[in-house]
Amino acid sequence: MSNKFSYILEWLKEYTASTSWLYFNAQEIKEGSASVNSDSGSRKTKEYIDGSYEAILPFNVSFVKAYDTEQSLTNIDALNEASNLISWIDSNKNKLYLGDDCICDDVIVKDEIPDVYVSSDEHLAIYKFNCQLEYIVT
């Protein structure tokens, strides 16, 4: 069985608004950087007599955008980007290929609004939301 995170990274690279390198388990604090981060390992949720099983894999997605403490649209634009990415995930989850022995059952975005971590010195913020991959191993 192949590493599911490799497939998730390849899939998310297809998001057209993503113009930067997509990191794994690392977040560069630089405008436009994005990352997929492991949350924990896969967990079987149901096993079948034939040896196949259903499993879940929690992960999160984060990206860095400019942050403004003044009256501007900068922060709203960043939230809109998060909303666009969440919509893209919902619309394209059926395109996530997980290898010949797995079927993507669902990708669930657990947060409607991302967590925001502000670095006021750099005027940047990390926007992070949690997801869950549900898949079947055949």
Side-chain angles (χ1 to χ4, degrees), residues 5 23-27 35-39 58-62 128:
F5 288 111
Y23 294 92
F24 178 70
N25 277 351
Q27 183 72 64
S35 179
V36 172
N37 307 290
S38 60
D39 202 342
F59 66 97
N60 64 66
V61 176
S62 60
K128 181 180 106 174

Side-chain angles (χ1 to χ4, degrees), residues 19-20 50 55 57 61 65 88 90 103 108-109 121 130:
T19 57
S20 67
D50 65 358
L57 177 64
V61 176
K65 296 297 276 181
W88 184 91
D90 287 338
I103 299 166
I108 300 166
V109 177
D121 292 341
N130 297 300

Side-chain angles (χ1 to χ4, degrees), residues 17-131:
S18 177
T19 57
S20 67
W21 176 259
L22 186 59
Y23 294 92
F24 178 70
N25 277 351
Q27 183 72 64
E28 184 178 22
I29 307 301
K30 177 181 166 189
E31 169 99 29
S33 72
S35 179
V36 172
N37 307 290
S38 60
D39 202 342
S40 63
S42 291
R43 182 173 48 88
K44 289 182 185 180
T45 56
K46 191 182 285 187
E47 293 187 63
Y48 299 99
I49 307 173
D50 65 358
S52 63
Y53 60 90
E54 296 178 18
I56 60 171
L57 177 64
F59 66 97
N60 64 66
V61 176
S62 60
F63 60 91
V64 177
K65 296 297 276 181
Y67 185 81
D68 192 3
T69 57
E70 302 298 323
Q71 294 182 12
S72 74
L73 298 177
T74 301
N75 302 341
I76 290 175
D77 290 343
L79 279 178
N80 285 337
E81 169 129 4
S83 178
N84 291 339
L85 179 52
I86 290 168
S87 293
W88 184 91
I89 289 171
D90 287 338
S91 299
N92 289 277
K93 56 188 163 190
N94 61 334
K95 296 178 183 174
L96 176 54
Y97 173 77
L98 295 172
D100 294 337
D101 64 341
C102 290
I103 299 166
C104 176
D105 192 33
D106 203 357
V107 180
I108 300 166
V109 177
K110 308 283 253 172
D111 304 311
E112 288 183 34
I113 297 176
D115 292 329
V116 181
Y117 304 94
V118 176
S119 174
S120 55
D121 292 341
E122 290 95 9
H123 296 283
L124 296 171
I126 298 173
Y127 294 82
K128 181 180 106 174
F129 55 91
N130 297 300
C131 301

